[in-house]
Amino acid sequence: MKCGKKTKVLLVPYPAQGHVTPMLKLASLLLNHGLNPIVITPNFIQINSKEDGISIISIPDGLEDGTPRDFFAIENAMENYMPYHLEKLVQEYEFDGKEEDGIVCVIVDLLASWAVKVANKFGIQVAGFWPAMLATYRLIDSIPDMLKNGIISETGCPLHSGPISISLGQPTLSSEDLPWLVGNSAARISRFKFWTKTMKRSRTLKWLLVNTFPDECHNVRNTNILKTQTDQSQDCPKILPIGPLNTHVTIKNASFWEEDLSCLDWLNKQVANSVLYISFGSWVSPIGKSKVNDLALALELLKRPFIWVLGPTWREGLPKSYLERTSKQGKIMSWAPQIDVLQHESVGCYLTHCGWNSTMEAIQSKTRLLCYPIAGDQFVNCAYIVQNWRIGNRMDGFGLKDLDEGLKRIMEDDEMSERIARLNEMTMGKVASSRAMANLTTFICNVRI
């Protein structure tokens, strides 16, 4: 069978909103290049998007209805149940007698690295997809060197409290900010094993498509402490920055949840740059019910207009009668049309968890950031936002003083708007976009040879 006749590309995202959305956008770009993208998700994912030409196929995850789809349940499903069903799907596409329309490539989110083994089993070309900063990939990929240099233990536990350098001339992290340090001790050890396994699989890939801007890859250089495997060995993927994908393509209704558009009418009635937009993303628990209570009280005392994305479960942390008391001051909703909110002239600042998609959307909208990272790569993103790019500040708590002083530092920095505008051009301007799309075209040409 000749590769040139194959058009199908299977895309396997990690089943979370912040991973599925950029994968759908990548699928749209592949479609524009004459390929036939098929996005594979577990059956508990319900995607509202109906983009013409993009197929979305669900496979069973083996979990019973009502079982919480947390990180560990999903990992178990990906490793032990979903490969069988993906194999059946591949067999259907590859051996259905239609020589002209086989699978040219499988693109696998590294957090869903289980699918790499399936592609390899059938001898299909496979590329990795990294939906976040390259800096985070390099940090995690440097685990062997952190072990060798005594920075972490064999279970990923920090062995000292000093700062960790991401790269020469780039931000530093606290030893407690490493991406796998989430939850209790057992959870941290399990996440560390997950990342170790994921990175071992990633080094077998020929290509790694990264949802970042080209200049980020040039600016990240490793120190002697964190010299990554990708810089020491030929057994590593070719890194191709193709992002940020949120600026290259628009996908309608890519959200798992219905967006509440009523907030846009509410924003139209507010003073320019007065509204604080608050969202802690979709993947991890926002901040905990006690902190929800603290932030709610601080917002009420601050008397500043706000929009707060807060799911029904977490509203249990709100003070009694809070929604009624603040009905004129603010608007609380389950899910918002985020890019429309961030680009609205009434929004002056975004209190964020520093997820990569949210960070790029804020830069796209030229919105100032108040940062409260919670887990994973968010600490790396926050370090760049605060230390390198200087387009935001980090909060350490949710008291009235924390919120008031944080907002004042953000809103009274007269030069911040200029820095955001420069960063917007560097990440999303015509030159950056052209280079990113050239990288994607190069990849497509390579896999279709």
Side-chain angles (χ1 to χ4, degrees):
M1 187 182 294
K2 295 180 180 179
C3 269
K5 293 184 178 181
K6 298 180 181 181
T7 64
K8 287 186 172 70
V9 178
L10 302 188
L11 299 100
V12 185
Y14 180 81
Q17 181 74 73
H19 293 253
V20 172
T21 298
M23 194 68 98
L24 283 171
K25 294 185 175 185
L26 175 56
S28 181
L29 292 173
L30 296 174
L31 182 66
N32 293 340
H33 282 78
L35 293 168
N36 180 11
I38 302 167
V39 180
I40 310 297
T41 65
N43 53 12
F44 74 90
I45 296 289
Q46 299 296 322
I47 302 173
N48 296 320
S49 181
K50 302 294 182 183
E51 293 292 316
D52 291 339
I54 299 177
S55 300
I56 299 174
I57 296 181
S58 295
I59 60 175
D61 63 7
L63 300 174
E64 295 182 2
D65 292 343
T67 301
R69 264 64 175 181
D70 60 17
F71 178 86
F72 302 105
I74 290 172
E75 182 189 8
N76 181 61
M78 291 192 302
E79 293 294 328
N80 301 311
Y81 196 85
M82 292 170 63
Y84 168 77
H85 295 280
L86 182 59
E87 287 181 17
K88 287 179 61 178
L89 199 62
V90 170
Q91 286 176 322
E92 177 184 334
Y93 286 139
E94 279 291 271
F95 307 111
D96 61 0
K98 297 179 181 178
E99 179 177 321
E100 72 279 3
D101 199 19
I103 301 171
V104 64
C105 182
V106 179
I107 299 178
V108 178
D109 186 322
L110 291 194
L111 275 78
S113 65
W114 62 273
V116 173
K117 296 189 296 181
V118 176
N120 289 339
K121 179 176 180 178
F122 290 94
I124 300 171
Q125 298 181 100
V126 57
F129 177 68
W130 185 253
M133 286 193 82
L134 179 65
T136 309
Y137 173 82
R138 292 190 182 274
L139 177 65
I140 298 171
D141 195 40
S142 69
I143 285 174
D145 294 287
M146 285 192 269
L147 288 166
K148 180 180 178 181
N149 290 288
I151 296 174
I152 58 174
S153 70
E154 292 292 331
T155 58
C157 179
L159 295 177
H160 65 79
S161 58
I164 296 175
S165 297
I166 295 177
S167 57
L168 187 62
Q170 300 302 307
T172 57
L173 296 176
S174 161
S175 57
E176 285 297 319
D177 290 343
L178 293 170
W180 53 86
L181 300 180
V182 181
N184 58 30
S185 177
R188 292 180 173 204
I189 293 172
S190 295
R191 288 176 185 272
F192 182 70
K193 290 179 180 178
F194 170 85
W195 281 118
T196 302
K197 174 177 58 185
T198 295
M199 286 313 193
K200 183 177 180 180
R201 288 173 179 169
S202 79
R203 294 181 190 120
T204 69
L205 301 172
K206 187 174 181 180
W207 306 279
L208 179 62
L209 306 177
V210 185
N211 184 24
T212 193
F213 51 99
D215 274 345
E216 193 236 321
C217 300
H218 296 140
N219 290 337
V220 178
R221 296 182 176 86
N222 300 293
T223 62
N224 289 331
I225 294 178
L226 298 186
K227 186 181 293 182
T228 68
Q229 295 294 315
T230 56
D231 291 319
Q232 297 180 54
S233 172
Q234 296 300 313
D235 297 327
C236 62
K238 179 177 176 58
I239 292 172
L240 294 169
I242 59 166
L245 288 167
N246 60 303
T247 66
H248 301 323
V249 63
T250 300
I251 294 287
K252 296 179 180 178
N253 301 321
S255 174
F256 296 176
W257 307 281
E258 185 176 354
E259 297 173 341
D260 185 348
L261 301 179
S262 67
C263 62
L264 301 178
D265 291 332
W266 183 86
L267 281 171
N268 290 337
K269 302 172 185 177
Q270 309 305 316
V271 176
N273 293 318
S274 66
V275 176
L276 172 62
Y277 173 60
I278 307 160
S279 176
F280 297 104
S282 60
W283 177 51
V284 293
S285 303
I287 47 177
K289 292 178 182 178
S290 64
K291 291 182 180 178
V292 166
N293 183 79
D294 292 343
L295 178 55
L297 293 173
L299 287 168
E300 186 175 15
L301 292 171
L302 194 64
K303 301 186 184 305
R304 186 185 188 103
F306 66 86
I307 287 180
W308 189 356
V309 176
L310 191 66
T313 301
W314 293 100
R315 293 184 194 182
E316 296 174 11
L318 295 173
K320 187 177 180 180
S321 304
Y322 186 80
L323 294 177
E324 293 80 3
R325 296 202 310 267
T326 59
S327 60
K328 294 183 179 180
Q329 177 191 351
K331 194 168 181 64
I332 294 178
M333 63 190 61
S334 297
W335 201 245
Q338 181 157 290
I339 192 67
D340 293 325
V341 171
L342 289 173
Q343 291 180 343
H344 200 284
E345 64 178 4
S346 295
V347 174
C349 184
Y350 175 18
L351 174 51
T352 174
H353 63 312
C354 302
W356 184 239
N357 292 321
S358 292
T359 299
M360 289 293 100
E361 288 170 354
I363 294 171
Q364 181 182 2
S365 307
K366 301 179 183 178
T367 304
R368 302 170 187 228
L369 296 170
L370 197 53
C371 304
Y372 193 89
I374 301 169
D377 68 323
Q378 297 163 15
F379 295 101
V380 176
N381 302 336
C382 178
Y384 275 84
I385 290 167
V386 176
Q387 298 177 40
N388 263 49
W389 301 333
R390 296 189 296 137
I391 60 169
N393 280 289
R394 181 170 176 173
M395 282 177 51
D396 295 321
F398 289 114
L400 176 61
K401 184 178 180 181
D402 298 307
L403 190 59
D404 187 29
E405 291 183 354
L407 282 168
K408 283 180 179 178
R409 286 196 303 270
I410 294 292
M411 303 309 294
E412 294 177 2
D413 187 337
D414 295 332
E415 297 179 359
M416 188 170 286
S417 293
E418 184 178 339
R419 291 196 293 271
I420 296 175
R422 288 199 302 267
L423 185 60
N424 175 281
E425 180 64 24
M426 183 179 76
T427 58
M428 305 172 190
K430 290 183 179 180
V431 173
S433 295
S434 177
R435 290 167 59 195
M437 291 304 95
N439 286 336
L440 181 62
T441 301
T442 296
F443 165 71
I444 292 172
C445 290
N446 286 338
V447 298
R448 298 200 74 176
I449 292 175

